[in-house]
Amino acid sequence: MKKTLLGAVGLAGLVVGATAIGGTGGAADHLDAPRAQSNPALDINDVYAFQSPTNPDNSVFIMTVNPLAGILSGTEFDERGAYRLHIDNDGDAKTDVLIPISFEDRNGDGTQEMRVHGFNTDDVGTAFSLRGGGTAWAGLADDPFFFDLAGFQDGLNFTGDDTLAGTNVSAIVLELPSSRVTDGDPNIGVWATTATQQGGGGRVDQVGRPAINTVLIGSDDKDAFNRTSTTDQLEVWGPKVNAAIAGLSSQANADALTPILLPDILTFDTSNPAGFLNGRGLADDVIDAELALLTEGALAGDGVDANDVPFLDVFPYLAPPHATGVDES
């Protein structure tokens, strides 16, 4: 379907105003909470973790920010913000491996530099090697998330139209030897956070699995959920998440799923190439999987089964950005 810039602007309004199952929010974790909406460069859209298709001894971690980059938001990373990848490698929901990432325009020419603290530094848009092995890249890319948001807003009457087709995000991609993030056991937990020095500072967003905050946390609680430590999420938010799931299916399903979906951590067996719920690959149809789980099969999916453009087979794996922020094919 041909998309125009005017159509994309209308799409931006749809994302901002969309009503999710559990409260007001955007697609996946795009624009999921008020504080994130106020700083799109620190608004985490999605987190991915999967075995490298080019080296099974490596794991790939991707964080996307700036929903509808170039249309609703800019394309730059926040130079006063902190981007963090968290790894739990012993199953206690606590951070065992922390990878901080920051950005700076060191030359004053508008070119940002990506710093993977403790690993290496290079310009945004350039793939560069990391000390101890691995590769990093950050830049503008096609939004890999695919979903019929309009149908979601229209009482779950899906049409199979990918609302985010032709749109871009800013992405951070790391490929690391799995041995650097595991501790003898290939099973890890993955989540990402952002924080800012502005407006009193503190946490802006926190994402593990897709759409947990968007779908299962009410509008007034979304910022508070993002500020809650993963170790406390089940205790603090378990009752509300349980009630939200029960409203979509049954109490038995809610009781079974609540301790799986909380804490909001993406569980990943680094030795296994299978996708979601094992980690999350770029091509995984996570919305279909989650709709089926949350509704006990009553909703099989949204009719959007793949991204609008193919992903790359090599690092950084994301599809290149659309030239104007929209698909003009």
Side-chain angles (χ1 to χ4, degrees):
M1 179 175 61
K2 182 177 178 66
K3 290 183 179 289
T4 65
L5 183 58
L6 179 62
V9 172
L11 183 153
L14 176 63
V15 173
V16 172
T19 300
I21 291 176
T24 301
D29 288 276
H30 303 55
L31 303 160
D32 66 321
R35 196 160 195 225
Q37 290 177 21
S38 69
N39 191 338
L42 296 176
D43 180 359
I44 304 172
N45 305 319
D46 293 283
V47 173
Y48 301 83
F50 53 93
Q51 188 182 92
S52 169
T54 60
N55 185 346
D57 293 330
N58 286 355
S59 293
V60 179
F61 305 97
I62 299 176
M63 177 197 322
T64 67
V65 297
N66 274 329
L68 279 73
I71 300 173
L72 185 63
S73 65
T75 61
E76 298 81 13
F77 297 92
D78 189 332
E79 296 186 7
R80 298 186 65 183
Y83 301 79
R84 300 182 178 115
L85 178 69
H86 301 255
I87 307 291
D88 166 26
N89 59 27
D90 59 10
D92 63 358
K94 297 179 180 179
T95 304
D96 296 304
V97 179
L98 177 66
I99 303 177
I101 299 159
S102 61
F103 297 87
E104 184 179 0
D105 178 5
R106 303 193 73 178
N107 299 320
D109 62 358
T111 301
Q112 289 188 307
E113 183 180 79
M114 174 190 185
R115 177 179 296 277
V116 186
H117 293 260
F119 289 83
N120 206 351
T121 302
D122 211 329
D123 288 344
V124 165
T126 300
F128 59 96
S129 298
L130 299 173
R131 283 190 288 272
T135 311
W137 177 90
L140 191 66
D142 161 76
D143 190 340
F145 183 64
F146 46 96
F147 177 47
D148 179 6
L149 175 60
F152 199 63
Q153 185 188 30
D154 186 27
L156 305 180
N157 293 310
F158 296 117
T159 64
D161 184 18
D162 182 2
T163 309
L164 296 175
T167 64
N168 295 330
V169 292
S170 301
I172 296 168
V173 184
L174 301 177
E175 179 166 338
L176 300 171
S178 299
S179 59
R180 299 193 70 168
V181 296
T182 58
D183 186 24
D185 185 334
N187 293 283
I188 61 174
V190 181
W191 68 101
T193 61
T194 56
T196 183
Q197 302 172 25
Q198 296 176 307
R203 176 79 53 79
V204 174
D205 208 355
Q206 178 173 216
V207 174
R209 289 194 174 102
I212 298 302
N213 192 344
T214 302
V215 173
L216 300 176
I217 302 297
S219 302
D220 294 338
D221 293 328
K222 292 184 183 298
D223 280 334
F225 181 84
N226 282 333
R227 291 193 298 266
T228 304
S229 168
T230 48
T231 56
D232 297 328
Q233 285 178 353
L234 180 59
E235 179 181 358
V236 174
W237 300 104
K240 289 190 175 182
V241 167
N242 186 284
I245 299 172
L248 295 168
S249 54
S250 68
Q251 189 59 55
N253 193 45
D255 292 343
L257 286 182
T258 299
I260 295 174
L261 299 181
L262 292 179
D264 182 15
I265 295 175
L266 186 63
T267 53
F268 173 38
D269 178 353
T270 61
S271 68
N272 188 342
F276 193 74
L277 293 163
N278 177 53
R280 180 182 178 185
L282 292 171
D284 291 346
D285 195 343
V286 295
I287 291 299
D288 281 10
E290 290 193 340
L291 284 173
L293 285 171
L294 293 173
T295 66
E296 291 183 292
L299 284 175
D302 66 344
V304 183
D305 299 324
N307 195 41
D308 57 312
V309 289
F311 299 116
L312 301 179
D313 295 327
V314 296
F315 188 89
Y317 306 109
L318 296 162
H322 303 274
T324 61
V326 292
D327 183 3
E328 296 180 345
S329 61

